[in-house]
């Protein structure tokens, strides 16, 4: 009795299912939605650029006032206010974060109330309150030491500095607190085990490790502070936007002067963003090495 061979049929089926891939052309997938969206965006940008290029804007005035003395003074005053307000804001934020995490209930609730008040009210309102403080306290005095009229003491510079820094401290306290909580609890326990006081442990052990988490948002807050100082124009502080407004009130070149201010803000923010990235790489060196 003979049997039909199976092996040849298997070989034939394998030969039939074999494909020569070299005969085929690889065609990349077409993303028509992306291509269409990109084309639409480019067309809109081109139309926007063309509108500003042919609009009723005298670009020669932009170049003329870009380096005007009043504008340069405004840039300097903006930088000075930003640095001082951010420095005090970070100081207030660190102190408030430590108070918030304190086991002392009085310190804890004072920190909670501080953040609640200054994060819950508009910054422009706080600036106006500081600037008009003389309506509540006509004089500021310490009996037997000094007495001064509040209206002469509370200058636009001081009112802007107090308003911006105290408001910033309320936001920075949450950033610092998040950074402190990111440090492993074992670090706190180790410092306590060797008898290191709490503040000394924060200064030498905890804060250096928390800087990797704290620095990026604080850097963003500083960049935001550069633009937030423009609110100080409401209380007549001579920063960039206020000086810009003073000029265009005189010559009626509103758009041209606003473009000047916008370009200067972009230049300052770009330089600060570059410095922020360098600082972040510096403080994250140890973290990258451990990875």
């Amino acid at each position: 009795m003979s049997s039909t061979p199976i092996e040849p049929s298997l070989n034939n089926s394998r030969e039939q299912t074999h494909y020569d891939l070299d005969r085929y052309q690889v065609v990349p997938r077409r993303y028509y939605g992306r291509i269409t969206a990109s084309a639409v965006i480019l067309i809109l940008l081109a139309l926007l650029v063309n509108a500003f290029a042919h609009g009723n804007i005298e670009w020669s005035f932009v170049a003329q006032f870009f380096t005007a003395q009043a504008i340069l003074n405004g840039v300097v005053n903006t930088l000075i206010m930003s640095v001082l307000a951010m420095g005090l804001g970070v100081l207030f934020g660190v102190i408030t974060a430590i108070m918030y995490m304190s086991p002392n209930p009085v310190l804890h609730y004072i920190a909670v109330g501080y953040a609640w008040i200054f994060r819950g009210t508009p910054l422009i309102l706080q600036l106006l309150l500081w600037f008009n403080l003389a309506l509540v306290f006509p004089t500021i005095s310490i009996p037997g030491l000094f007495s001064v009229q509040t209206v002469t003491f509370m200058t636009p510079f001081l009112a802007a500095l107090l308003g911006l820094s105290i408001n910033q401290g309320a936001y920075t306290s949450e950033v610092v607190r998040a950074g402190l909580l990111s440090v492993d609890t074992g670090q706190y326990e180790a410092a306590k085990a060797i008898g290191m006081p709490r503040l000394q442990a924060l200064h030498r052990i905890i804060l250096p490790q928390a800087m990797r988490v704290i620095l990026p948002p604080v850097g963003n807050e500083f960049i935001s502070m550069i633009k937030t100082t423009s609110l100080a124009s409401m209380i007549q502080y001579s920063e960039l936007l206020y000086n810009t407004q003073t000029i265009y009130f005189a010559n009626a070149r509103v758009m041209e002067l606003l473009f000047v201010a916008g370009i200067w803000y972009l230049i300052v923010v770009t330089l600060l963003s570059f410095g922020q990235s360098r600082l972040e790489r510096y403080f994250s060196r140890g973290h990258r090495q451990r990875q």
Side-chain angles (χ1 to χ4, degrees):
M1 186 175 180
S2 61
S3 60
T4 304
I6 300 176
E7 186 66 26
S9 63
L10 292 175
N11 291 335
N12 290 336
S13 63
R14 289 172 183 170
E15 291 176 359
Q16 292 175 359
T17 57
H18 176 70
Y19 297 98
D20 186 6
L21 297 179
D22 295 335
R23 295 162 45 194
Y24 297 92
Q25 180 182 3
V26 179
V27 179
R29 182 179 178 181
R30 305 297 184 185
Y31 296 94
Y32 295 104
R34 298 180 186 178
I35 295 173
T36 303
S38 300
V40 170
I41 292 173
L42 289 175
I43 292 172
L44 291 176
L45 286 176
L47 292 174
L48 183 64
V49 171
N50 181 70
F52 277 103
H54 296 88
N56 189 20
I57 299 175
E58 293 291 340
W59 293 103
S60 60
F61 279 92
V62 176
Q64 176 183 348
F65 287 99
F66 187 74
T67 55
Q69 189 62 45
I71 298 296
L72 296 179
N73 290 341
V75 173
V76 172
N77 290 339
T78 295
L79 290 173
I80 291 174
M81 179 58 66
S82 300
V83 171
L84 293 178
M86 196 66 202
L88 287 175
V90 170
L91 178 62
F92 295 153
V94 171
I95 294 173
T96 304
I98 295 173
M99 291 171 61
Y100 189 99
M101 300 177 66
S102 173
N104 188 323
V106 176
L107 297 179
H108 172 78
Y109 286 109
I110 289 176
V112 171
Y114 165 69
W116 173 66
I117 291 174
F118 289 99
R119 291 173 62 196
T121 55
L123 176 56
I124 186 64
L125 173 64
Q126 298 172 33
L127 290 172
L128 292 172
L129 287 174
W130 284 111
F131 187 61
N132 294 283
L133 191 64
L135 300 176
V136 182
F137 304 103
T139 61
I140 297 176
S141 63
I142 297 179
L145 292 179
F146 73 92
S147 178
V148 62
Q149 295 291 324
T150 306
V151 69
T152 59
F153 176 75
M154 192 59 65
T155 61
F157 173 83
L158 184 58
L161 181 60
L162 290 174
L164 292 171
S165 61
I166 294 175
N167 179 268
Q168 184 60 50
Y171 287 93
T172 306
S173 65
E174 293 299 307
V175 175
V176 174
R177 189 167 67 90
L180 295 177
L181 292 174
S182 69
V183 179
D184 189 83
T185 55
Q187 301 293 320
Y188 293 88
E189 296 171 357
K192 186 177 180 180
I194 62 176
M196 185 176 290
R198 178 180 174 82
L199 291 179
Q200 187 178 9
L202 286 171
H203 172 65
R204 294 190 175 184
I205 298 177
I206 308 303
L207 278 175
Q209 297 182 62
M211 286 299 294
R212 180 179 58 85
V213 177
I214 293 173
L215 191 60
V218 168
N220 290 334
E221 290 290 334
F222 181 50
I223 291 174
S224 178
M225 178 65 75
I226 295 291
K227 297 170 287 184
T228 306
T229 54
S230 61
L231 293 177
S233 63
M234 295 292 295
I235 58 173
Q236 303 174 18
Y237 175 64
S238 182
E239 46 77 53
L240 176 57
L241 184 60
Y242 180 81
N243 287 5
T244 300
Q245 292 174 322
T246 302
I247 296 175
Y248 73 58
F249 284 151
N251 62 13
R253 293 292 179 179
V254 179
M255 290 300 297
E256 289 83 354
L257 269 299
L258 290 178
F259 273 112
V260 169
I263 294 171
W264 270 115
Y265 279 121
L266 287 173
I267 292 173
V268 173
V269 168
T270 302
L271 294 176
L272 290 176
S273 299
F274 176 75
Q276 177 190 357
S277 63
R278 297 292 298 271
L279 282 175
E280 289 178 9
R281 285 199 297 268
Y282 174 79
F283 281 102
S284 62
R285 289 178 304 170
H287 181 71
R288 290 201 304 266
Q289 291 173 1
R290 288 195 298 269
Q291 291 178 339

